[in-house]
C-alpha cells in the first residue's frame, strides 16, 4: 500500500469573539489548546463541548459557540461565542408524586430559588434523586419564564416505583394428611 499522508498543519492562532464571561486566557485553558501544536479538528470540537458546559454552569442556558477554521500554510481557529443572558432559578416544581412526599425529593436538590442556573448542580441533583431508590425515572426540565430578566422555572418529573404485592394462600389440608400418616 502506498499512503500519502499529506501536509501536517499546525494550529497557528486562536481568536475569540463575543466572550465576556471568560477571558481569552481562560478560554485557552478550558479548551486545552495552544498555538503551534498539531492541528486536530476533532479535538477542537470535543473541547468546544467542554467550553459549553463551563458556560452552562454559569447560567448561560442559550450559549452558542461556533468555530471557523482557516487553513493556508497552517491553521487559524476563530471561535465565535454568543453568551446570551444569565439565568436564575425562579420556582422549583415536583410532578409525578403519588405516595412519596415532596420533601423526599427536595432534600436531594442542590439548588434553590434565586440561585444561578448551574448544569452541574442540576445533573448531580438528578442523580441523587434517582439514587434515593424511590423512583424509576427522574427528569429535570428548565422552562423559560422571563427571558428579559433571565428567570427559569425548574420542573422535576419523577416516576415512582409501582408498589407490588405478593399474594399467597396457605392450606393446612396437606399438613393434616401428613400428620395422619405419621400416626399409623
Amino acid at each position: 500500500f502506498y499512503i500519502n499522508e499529506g501536509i501536517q498543519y499546525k494550529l497557528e492562532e486562536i481568536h475569540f469573539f463575543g466572550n465576556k464571561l471568560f477571558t481569552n486566557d481562560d478560554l485557552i485553558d478550558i479548551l486545552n489548546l495552544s498555538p503551534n501544536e498539531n492541528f486536530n479538528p476533532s479535538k477542537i470540537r470535543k473541547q468546544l463541548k467542554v467550553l459549553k458546559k463551563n458556560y452552562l454552569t454559569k447560567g448561560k442556558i442559550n450559549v452558542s459557540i461556533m468555530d471557523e477554521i482557516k487553513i493556508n500554510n497552517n491553521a487559524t481557529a476563530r471561535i465565535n461565542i454568543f453568551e446570551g443572558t444569565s439565568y436564575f432559578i425562579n420556582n422549583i416544581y415536583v410532578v409525578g408524586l403519588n405516595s412519596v412526599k415532596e420533601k423526599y425529593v427536595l432534600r436531594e436538590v442542590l439548588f434553590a430559588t434565586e440561585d444561578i442556573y448551574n448544569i452541574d448542580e442540576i445533573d448531580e441533583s438528578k442523580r441523587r434523586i434517582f439514587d434515593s431508590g424511590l423512583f424509576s425515572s427522574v427528569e429535570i426540565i428548565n422552562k423559560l419564564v422571563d427571558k428579559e430578566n433571565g428567570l427559569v422555572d425548574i420542573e422535576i418529573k419523577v416516576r415512582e416505583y409501582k408498589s407490588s404485592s405478593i399474594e399467597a394462600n396457605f392450606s393446612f389440608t396437606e399438613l393434616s394428611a401428613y400428620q395422619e400418616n405419621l400416626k399409623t
Side-chain angles (χ1 to χ4, degrees):
F1 294 97
Y2 176 74
I3 300 172
N4 181 4
E5 292 183 350
I7 300 170
Q8 176 66 54
Y9 294 105
K10 297 278 185 188
L11 182 60
E12 188 174 48
E13 295 178 314
I14 306 168
H15 301 284
F16 300 101
F17 295 93
N19 55 309
K20 296 176 188 105
L21 185 61
F22 297 111
T23 66
N24 288 355
D25 290 337
D26 291 338
L27 293 175
I28 288 173
D29 288 343
I30 293 168
L31 292 173
N32 194 22
L33 298 173
S34 59
N36 298 320
E37 71 179 40
N38 288 336
F39 174 64
N40 183 345
S42 63
K43 179 183 177 186
I44 291 174
R45 295 285 168 128
K46 184 178 177 184
Q47 292 306 107
L48 288 178
K49 289 180 183 178
V50 172
L51 177 60
K52 184 169 186 172
K53 185 160 185 187
N54 274 268
Y55 274 105
L56 288 171
T57 63
K58 305 291 185 196
K60 302 293 187 180
I61 294 175
N62 295 327
V63 65
S64 177
I65 303 170
M66 291 180 31
D67 64 317
E68 296 176 29
I69 307 297
K70 184 178 175 184
I71 298 179
N72 289 329
N73 293 334
N74 284 311
T76 301
R78 175 185 165 125
I79 311 295
N80 299 309
I81 301 169
F82 174 73
E83 294 179 350
T85 306
S86 293
Y87 284 89
F88 293 85
I89 297 171
N90 187 42
N91 291 308
I92 302 168
Y93 302 102
V94 180
V95 295
L97 295 174
N98 294 318
S99 58
V100 177
K101 293 187 186 318
E102 188 175 88
K103 70 179 182 178
Y104 297 116
V105 174
L106 295 178
R107 74 177 180 191
E108 303 299 336
V109 172
L110 299 174
F111 51 86
T113 57
E114 299 181 7
D115 284 356
I116 195 157
Y117 182 90
N118 182 332
I119 193 69
D120 287 343
E121 290 177 352
I122 301 286
D123 290 344
E124 180 62 16
S125 296
K126 180 179 175 180
R127 186 195 62 76
R128 288 172 52 136
I129 294 167
F130 185 76
D131 287 350
S132 71
L134 299 171
F135 307 102
S136 62
S137 72
V138 178
E139 187 178 4
I140 298 181
I141 303 166
N142 62 50
K143 296 184 176 192
L144 297 179
V145 174
D146 187 348
K147 194 172 185 175
E148 288 181 24
N149 294 319
L151 296 176
V152 64
D153 282 348
I154 303 293
E155 181 179 87
I156 303 170
K157 286 185 169 184
V158 295
R159 182 177 300 142
E160 294 179 11
Y161 280 112
K162 296 208 186 289
S163 61
S164 58
S165 60
I166 300 173
E167 293 183 22
N169 292 323
F170 296 100
S171 173
F172 294 103
T173 55
E174 291 180 31
L175 182 59
S176 298
Y178 178 72
Q179 288 176 342
E180 295 279 332
N181 290 337
L182 288 177
K183 291 181 184 177
T184 55

